[in-house]
Amino acid sequence: MKLQPKVRRRAAATLAGLAVGFAVATPALSSSARAEPLFKLQVKPSQLDPAKGTVMLDVVTTVEGVKVPAGQTLLTHLSGAPGVKGPFRVEDLTASDDHGAVPLVDGPKGGPRAWASTRDVEGKLVFRYRRPIDNAVGGALTTIPHVDGPGVFGIANMLFVLPPQTPARYHFVLDWDLSAMPAGSTAVTALGEGKVDIAAMPLTRLTFAMMMAGQIKRDPDPPQGAFSAVWTGSPAFDVKATMGWASKLHVYMSKFFADPKELPYHVFMRDNPSGNGVAAPMAFAIGYNADTTPQGVQYLLGHEMTHTWTAADIGKWYSEGNASYYQTQLPWRAGLFPIEKRLADINLTASRYYTNDVMHAPDSEVLPKFWSDLRYNVLPYDRGAIYFAVLNGKIRRASGGKRSVDDLIRAMVQLDREGKTITEQTWIDLLQNELGDEGPALHKAVMSGEATLIPESDDYGPCFRRVSVKIARFDFGFGPEELARRGVVENLRPDSNAAKAGLKEGDKISFQMSTDGILRDPNMMVTLHVTRGQETFDVTYLPRGELRDAYQWERTDVPESACR
């Protein structure tokens, strides 16, 4: 999940994770004789130590046509991320322009680290610095710069000092000097491989570009087609088989979303104990650990790859909702998932939605509480996915089976492809044209939280039918009303499963398993690592409470071939 500017082929969010972006004042840029001013990034990695997890980047950046008044933000660096032990370091930063050395001072506080000049800056801006990367900084996000085996990986806004984001276009050059890296080192970025030279590119495209340099392994090898997966470490799961599956899915999705031609897509992989994933335009970063499985990666990519086409900046109900709706549906349609996996995904989504205490919260409350309360964090995924299923049924019935919600999503993708501005009203207008007043009315009810979404029995297709069930609501058994990862047991409820399993008030706790998983699966146990005084031990229990009315789907006897 990520905040980022609107860019072509944008992507959003992560595996129950985070991502980072920023928006700051944009400096004025004068025109130059060249059609597009030059933006050149020269990067030399050196002193790579895989055992220590360190490397040094020497960086020189040249930007033409700059005109920035004294005191205005000139350069920025995203110097932190969730869970890091300290700020990302930038050393020996110096700058010059057409008038000589630029006197740099700290810029405005309250956002990314910023630098300003005490005098006006104009002409060709050249700035150079050293960027040490050390795995000891920690952090949860997979895009945090990291040494993994004989290579380094990161995302541009954490790797580099950059001018503030601007839609201005540049003649962009990325030039790697790998002479101090291990023999056979290469560089791969979401912008291209090796030296990158793009005649006209917005700076926003660089900001979220993922990059890897070192002794890179890849699949397919040698590269062929639009899909490419790269890594420098040693994943424990079968990478080649999993990425072969992902390549087939990318081909299918590109056709499904009606690309004129299949566009490049990179999967970057690096070791990360948190095991999360982060999406960016035309790329995805997978953090693998000892528990990573091919099945988990496949499920993740089904969701995240969808974002490549559909992540319009009109709300998480749309971008996360449609990605959740398609995450197993498209792999199943492509013949890459069995129908049982598709059915399980429908039911896990439904079980979490119908047992969510805030299922009727208005959409306006989601973002303010998104990071502080897990109930709001998962709501746009589940409510959005079920909303699209309900719409799918209504459109199919209204059109006599000739159209579906796919047609509306593809219309949105085409508008984005054409560079048109997309707003929530764009979607509402499509609903009006498709369903008359019923479409906008349903949308309003969902956004206000008034609607309890109950898909018709065959809204997921004739292979599935709806059944009424009882499902226990998620309940850690302690803490205040909001759900969040906790470090201490507080307000333990005596009648809860947590208390019955032996937890006590004041216990210090930690756990590594996915909160997303235990929220979705009503049968998943949670294991907490407990410290009580001088004792440490594990407590395992089912984090569930009272039963709620809910719905699930079961398989019909209709042949699978008639359902895709």
Side-chain angles (χ1 to χ4, degrees):
M1 290 157 267
K2 171 171 65 187
L3 304 177
Q4 67 177 66
K6 183 179 186 294
V7 290
R8 289 286 299 121
R9 308 304 257 167
R10 52 196 181 279
T14 63
L15 172 64
L18 311 167
V20 183
F22 58 83
V24 292
T26 303
L29 296 171
S30 67
S31 60
S32 67
R34 181 183 284 115
E36 306 291 354
L38 177 69
F39 189 110
K40 186 174 183 179
L41 189 62
Q42 297 167 277
V43 186
K44 182 179 181 178
S46 65
Q47 305 173 43
L48 176 72
D49 189 331
K52 292 182 179 179
T54 58
V55 70
M56 177 67 75
L57 303 183
D58 287 281
V59 184
V60 180
T61 306
T62 302
V63 189
E64 292 182 343
V66 174
K67 188 174 183 179
V68 180
Q72 186 169 325
T73 298
L74 179 68
L75 300 171
T76 66
H77 182 233
L78 190 60
S79 56
V84 298
K85 298 174 183 177
F88 304 146
R89 290 159 52 206
V90 173
E91 299 177 353
D92 304 327
L93 175 63
T94 62
S96 65
D97 66 356
D98 287 356
H99 302 288
V102 173
L104 295 175
V105 295
D106 288 339
K109 307 293 184 182
R113 185 176 181 185
W115 293 266
S117 170
T118 56
R119 66 165 174 81
D120 294 350
V121 177
E122 58 184 357
K124 182 194 293 185
L125 173 67
V126 179
F127 55 98
R128 52 189 80 225
Y129 55 94
R130 310 195 84 198
R131 173 70 173 90
I133 293 170
D134 188 342
N135 291 355
V137 75
L141 286 182
T142 295
T143 44
I144 290 172
H146 186 86
V147 172
D148 192 15
V152 58
F153 165 76
I155 195 167
N157 64 350
M158 296 186 198
L159 285 169
F160 305 125
V161 174
L162 298 170
Q165 289 187 27
T166 167
R169 302 175 79 83
Y170 294 89
H171 175 196
F172 177 75
V173 177
L174 172 57
D175 197 1
W176 295 90
D177 179 351
L178 301 177
S179 60
M181 290 289 278
S185 288
T186 56
V188 175
T189 79
L191 302 172
E193 308 211 2
K195 182 176 180 178
V196 177
D197 192 325
I198 302 173
M201 189 187 88
L203 184 59
T204 48
R205 188 177 169 199
L206 169 63
T207 305
F208 298 100
M210 296 180 183
M211 304 184 178
M212 181 176 286
Q215 291 182 337
I216 292 175
K217 307 167 191 175
R218 62 189 312 154
D219 189 75
D221 188 13
Q224 55 184 351
F227 179 90
S228 180
V230 293
W231 64 100
T232 57
S234 302
F237 67 99
D238 189 339
V239 175
K240 287 190 174 292
T242 307
M243 292 302 109
W245 179 95
S247 178
K248 293 176 183 177
L249 179 61
H250 190 261
V251 170
Y252 179 86
M253 284 190 172
S254 183
K255 292 178 180 177
F256 176 82
F257 290 111
D259 280 339
K261 67 175 183 178
E262 188 184 2
L263 297 176
Y265 188 86
H266 287 85
V267 173
F268 296 87
M269 288 175 279
R270 67 95 157 167
D271 175 70
N272 184 356
S274 299
N276 63 36
V278 180
M282 309 304 295
F284 186 68
I286 293 174
Y288 60 81
N289 55 34
D291 297 324
T292 301
T293 65
Q295 294 77 19
V297 173
Q298 289 172 354
Y299 177 87
L300 175 62
L301 284 175
H303 181 99
E304 300 297 345
M305 207 178 283
T306 302
H307 282 312
T308 304
W309 292 271
T310 67
D313 303 325
I314 61 175
K316 290 185 180 296
W317 63 269
Y318 182 82
S319 59
E320 298 299 350
N322 67 55
S324 298
Y325 175 71
Y326 284 126
Q327 64 193 11
T328 56
Q329 183 185 137
L330 293 184
W332 171 54
R333 287 187 189 179
L336 298 171
F337 269 173
I339 194 170
E340 291 79 14
K341 193 162 187 174
R342 171 64 181 146
L343 177 59
D345 185 50
I346 292 170
N347 284 334
L348 288 171
T349 297
S351 68
R352 190 166 66 179
Y353 171 68
Y354 292 115
T355 59
N356 192 332
D357 291 340
V358 299
M359 67 181 291
H360 289 296
D363 188 69
S364 59
E365 290 183 6
V366 170
L367 275 181
K369 301 180 180 180
F370 191 80
W371 301 117
S372 62
D373 191 328
L374 294 171
R375 300 171 304 172
Y376 289 88
N377 184 277
V378 301
L379 183 60
Y381 294 77
D382 302 331
R383 184 162 66 186
I386 295 175
Y387 170 46
F388 286 111
V390 170
L391 279 176
N392 185 60
K394 289 183 179 295
I395 294 170
R396 282 176 47 239
R397 286 185 288 274
S399 65
K402 295 179 181 179
R403 291 176 60 79
S404 70
V405 74
D406 298 346
D407 296 290
L408 272 63
I409 296 292
R410 281 192 284 250
M412 294 281 281
V413 171
Q414 182 58 31
L415 289 170
D416 182 48
R417 190 178 284 128
E418 295 170 358
K420 302 290 179 59
T421 299
I422 296 174
T423 66
E424 185 176 357
Q425 189 59 47
T426 308
W427 177 252
I428 294 171
D429 291 343
L430 289 173
L431 292 178
Q432 180 72 46
N433 292 338
E434 197 73 35
L435 294 171
D437 292 342
E438 182 184 14
L442 172 62
H443 182 79
K444 181 180 179 181
V446 172
M447 294 299 101
S448 68
E450 296 172 5
T452 298
L453 292 167
I454 305 174
E456 297 293 336
S457 188
D458 65 346
D459 279 0
Y460 291 104
C463 276
F464 312 111
R465 62 173 164 244
R466 191 185 70 206
V467 293
S468 297
V469 297
K470 297 278 189 180
I471 299 177
R473 65 178 282 271
F474 183 87
D475 181 17
F476 262 135
F478 56 88
E481 182 180 352
E482 69 274 8
L483 292 177
R485 280 185 175 270
R486 307 189 183 285
V488 178
V489 174
E490 297 176 314
N491 300 319
L492 180 68
R493 293 181 282 283
D495 59 344
S496 68
N497 288 344
K500 294 173 183 176
L503 283 179
K504 295 185 180 297
E505 189 80 11
D507 284 345
K508 296 180 180 179
I509 57 172
S510 65
F511 59 97
Q512 290 295 324
M513 64 194 309
S514 167
T515 311
D516 178 75
I518 56 177
L519 279 168
R520 288 188 92 214
D521 187 346
N523 299 309
M524 182 179 286
M525 308 288 280
V526 62
T527 297
L528 302 181
H529 188 65
V530 180
T531 300
R532 181 184 300 160
Q534 302 302 311
E535 293 183 90
T536 59
F537 51 92
D538 289 342
V539 172
T540 299
Y541 66 99
L542 184 66
R544 294 282 157 175
E546 72 273 14
L547 294 175
R548 297 272 179 86
D549 291 329
Y551 299 94
Q552 297 281 269
W553 274 257
E554 62 184 15
R555 184 76 168 87
T556 66
D557 57 5
V558 174
E560 185 176 354
S561 60
C563 300
R564 288 196 175 101

